């Protein structure tokens, strides 16, 4: 279990950075006259609103790329190595079907975002952050799962995965860190202001998606 959690976390982080490269974020930023640095800074900085929205769009695009490819590579890994004992155990115990596999990956990503959540983001303007706050990023991945129906799951299955992951993830993180549950972690950003901010971010998606010709 520890190996798979660590492996999926590492895979998601690396694929996030690859997502920036695949979508030509460096060249796109250079064309717009911005810093073309590809590696995320240790501490997100405050930016002008327009630049911050663009930056957050890039991060959500990279997250989406990482999430989809983490699921796909994890599924391929245990399918292509079905003759190995470890792959057999993972398939039987953790990912016997598409719903279980996606739930496990989404749970790992949930733990990653809860553990990396900045404690101070609520005290600064969200539309000036270079990176979306952790609950924004998790909510965006849930929306992506609902929209893309990864591994050919249906809408009802996607909804079940999301609700189950948010509940079990909150319980797990509470036990891990010995803290009170925070079931409002996602709902705290479900306000008209946050919805408008999400809308502004998604309007930028076409400007930062895909390869440049």
């Amino acid at each position: 279990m520890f190996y798979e959690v660590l492996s999926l976390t590492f895979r998601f982080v690396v694929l996030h950075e690859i997502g920036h490269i695949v979508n030509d974020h460096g060249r796109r930023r250079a064309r717009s006259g911005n810093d073309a640095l590809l590696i995320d800074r240790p501490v997100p900085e405050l930016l002008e609103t327009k630049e911050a929205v663009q930056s957050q769009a890039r991060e959500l695009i990279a997250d989406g790329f990482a999430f989809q490819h983490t699921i796909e590579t994890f599924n391929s890994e245990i399918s292509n190595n079905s003759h190995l004992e470890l792959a057999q155990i993972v398939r039987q115990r953790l990912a016997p079907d598409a719903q279980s596999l996606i739930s496990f990956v989404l749970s790992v990503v949930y733990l990653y975002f809860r553990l990396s959540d900045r404690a101070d983001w609520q005290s600064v303007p969200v539309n000036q952050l270079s990176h979306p706050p952790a609950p924004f990023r998790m909510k965006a991945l849930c929306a992506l799962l609902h929209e893309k129906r990864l591994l050919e799951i249906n809408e009802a299955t996607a909804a079940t995965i999301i609700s189950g992951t948010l509940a079990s993830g909150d319980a797990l993180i509470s036990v891990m860190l010995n803290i009170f549950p925070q079931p409002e972690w996602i709902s705290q950003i479900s306000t008209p202001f946050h919805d408008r901010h999400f809308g502004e971010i998604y309007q930028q998606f076409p400007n930062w998606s895909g390869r440049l010709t």
Side-chain angles (χ1 to χ4, degrees):
M1 174 71 79
F2 177 78
Y3 169 79
E4 292 299 339
V5 170
L6 184 61
S7 174
L8 289 173
T9 303
F10 179 77
R11 193 175 313 197
F12 178 79
V13 172
V14 172
L15 285 169
H16 171 93
E17 300 304 332
I18 294 175
H20 284 306
I21 298 172
V22 167
N23 287 283
D24 269 328
H25 289 167
R27 287 204 294 161
R28 289 177 189 275
R29 293 182 70 179
R31 283 189 176 188
S32 64
N34 293 325
D35 177 13
L37 184 68
L38 285 175
I39 304 300
D40 292 341
R41 293 176 174 85
V43 179
E45 59 181 339
L46 294 182
L47 308 171
E48 294 295 328
T49 298
K50 180 180 178 180
E51 186 179 352
V53 170
Q54 294 175 346
S55 179
Q56 291 187 33
R58 292 192 295 270
E59 296 306 318
L60 293 187
I61 289 169
D63 281 347
F65 176 91
F67 182 57
Q68 292 184 75
H69 284 78
T70 296
I71 289 173
E72 292 170 2
T73 56
F74 182 46
N75 185 48
S76 296
E77 179 183 42
I78 56 180
S79 296
N80 295 335
N81 294 308
S82 58
H83 60 289
L84 299 178
E85 183 179 6
L86 177 59
Q88 294 170 7
I89 293 173
V90 171
R91 180 63 82 185
Q92 293 170 5
R93 304 290 180 85
L94 299 176
D97 51 35
Q99 179 175 342
S100 300
L101 186 148
I102 296 172
S103 294
F104 183 57
V105 174
L106 190 62
S107 295
V108 171
V109 174
Y110 177 92
L111 295 179
Y112 169 73
F113 281 133
R114 281 291 299 269
L115 290 170
S116 61
D117 189 10
R118 290 182 63 192
D120 63 342
W121 69 264
Q122 293 177 319
S123 64
V124 296
V126 70
N127 58 358
Q128 288 188 261
L129 290 169
S130 63
H131 289 51
F136 273 69
R137 299 173 74 168
M138 189 66 198
K139 183 176 180 180
L141 291 184
C142 291
L144 176 67
L145 176 60
H146 200 275
E147 176 186 354
K148 294 293 187 180
R149 318 279 177 78
L150 304 176
L151 299 185
E152 301 181 351
I153 61 172
N154 57 35
E155 183 176 354
T157 300
T160 299
I161 291 172
I162 292 167
S163 60
T165 298
L166 296 181
S168 62
D170 185 50
L172 184 57
I173 204 74
S174 298
V175 172
M176 289 171 56
L177 301 181
N178 193 28
I179 59 175
F180 287 109
Q182 298 180 28
E184 75 288 348
W185 189 68
I186 292 291
S187 63
Q188 67 181 317
I189 58 168
S190 298
T191 69
F193 170 76
H194 292 121
D195 289 343
R196 286 194 299 272
H197 182 59
F198 263 118
E200 292 173 0
I201 292 174
Y202 281 113
Q203 287 178 7
Q204 286 291 327
F205 270 33
N207 300 327
W208 299 95
S209 299
R211 300 290 293 180
L212 286 174
T213 58

